Amino acid sequence: FESNPSLVDGVESSMLPPSLDISVANEETIPQFIEVLKKNSKISEIQLGSKWGNLLANAIYSLRIWFFVFIFISFILISFVVGSTMRLLIYSRRQEIMVMRLVGAREGFVRIPFIVGGMFQGLFGALVALSVLKVSSDVFFRIILNSKLEIFQLSDLSFLPGSLVFLILLIGVIVGGVGSFFAINKFIDV
């Protein structure tokens, strides 16, 4: 509390129990050291930082698993949406496709415009998602930086790095292309 003494204004030393923070050089000796401390009758409670560290590590691990499950489900759902959009597009252009077949258009000449269209849809979806995320993060960062909490004043808050933005856009293009590819294979018989 040295950096912000106003946090403890009005708190007297008699209100808080005496405590010690102990660090050890070798973590392997912690169990033996705790046994020695437990034998001392003046010590009423021993708290280990590893308990909280393990809880935090487990929570982060669980969040990572749920994140990847969410990403996988999102990938499948987006592919279905793009596939359905492509199916509607193919249905609306069925007469054009039939004319192209009658004049002898190759398979790629019929399919590639649909795949490219799906890729553009994926890119557009990723741009919309990034735009919403950018606006939301700007509002959130403004609220955080205007807060009175000291921990947030010290942190450097910024939007996603450029490489991650590029990766998100690339994933949007890939998902759009994959969804349209499967829709075309299913609904176009060339």
Side-chain angles (χ1 to χ4, degrees):
F1 301 109
E2 294 174 6
S3 63
N4 197 351
S6 63
L7 291 175
V8 290
D9 284 348
V11 177
E12 298 175 10
S13 61
S14 62
M15 296 177 166
L16 302 172
S19 63
L20 291 174
D21 289 332
I22 301 173
S23 300
V24 294
N26 185 358
E27 292 184 12
E28 295 173 358
T29 61
I30 290 176
Q32 295 90 10
F33 187 66
I34 289 175
E35 291 302 320
V36 170
L37 292 176
K38 283 183 180 178
K39 293 177 184 175
N40 189 335
S41 62
K42 295 180 182 179
I43 297 175
S44 61
E45 182 181 2
I46 299 173
Q47 291 183 348
L48 292 176
S50 63
K51 173 185 172 187
W52 294 106
N54 289 339
L55 285 173
L56 181 62
N58 289 338
I60 290 172
Y61 179 75
S62 297
L63 285 174
R64 283 183 180 163
I65 288 175
W66 281 108
F67 174 75
F68 286 115
V69 167
F70 175 75
I71 292 296
F72 180 73
I73 291 171
S74 297
F75 182 82
I76 291 172
L77 291 175
I78 291 169
S79 295
F80 281 128
V81 168
V82 170
S84 296
T85 305
M86 285 295 115
R87 184 177 67 202
L88 291 173
L89 186 61
I90 291 167
Y91 183 75
S92 70
R93 293 189 177 174
R94 68 185 181 279
Q95 291 174 342
E96 294 174 26
I97 294 171
M98 191 172 20
V99 170
M100 284 192 278
R101 286 183 189 159
L102 290 173
V103 296
R106 291 187 319 248
E107 181 179 326
F109 190 78
V110 175
R111 292 177 188 245
I112 287 179
F114 291 106
I115 294 173
V116 171
M119 294 169 88
F120 276 114
Q121 285 181 355
L123 178 64
F124 179 73
L127 284 172
V128 169
L130 283 171
S131 299
V132 169
L133 184 62
K134 174 68 172 148
V135 169
S136 303
S137 66
D138 285 347
V139 169
F140 180 72
F141 292 162
R142 204 170 299 123
I143 290 170
I144 291 292
L145 292 175
N146 291 335
S147 72
K148 301 296 181 197
L149 297 174
E150 184 176 316
I151 190 169
F152 293 122
Q153 301 298 326
L154 300 176
S155 60
D156 180 29
L157 301 174
S158 62
F159 189 61
L160 300 172
S163 59
L164 190 56
V165 170
F166 177 76
L167 180 65
I168 291 170
L169 293 174
L170 182 64
I171 289 172
V173 169
I174 291 170
V175 169
V178 167
S180 62
F181 176 78
F182 286 120
I184 288 169
N185 284 339
K186 185 173 182 180
F187 297 109
I188 291 184
D189 296 324
V190 178

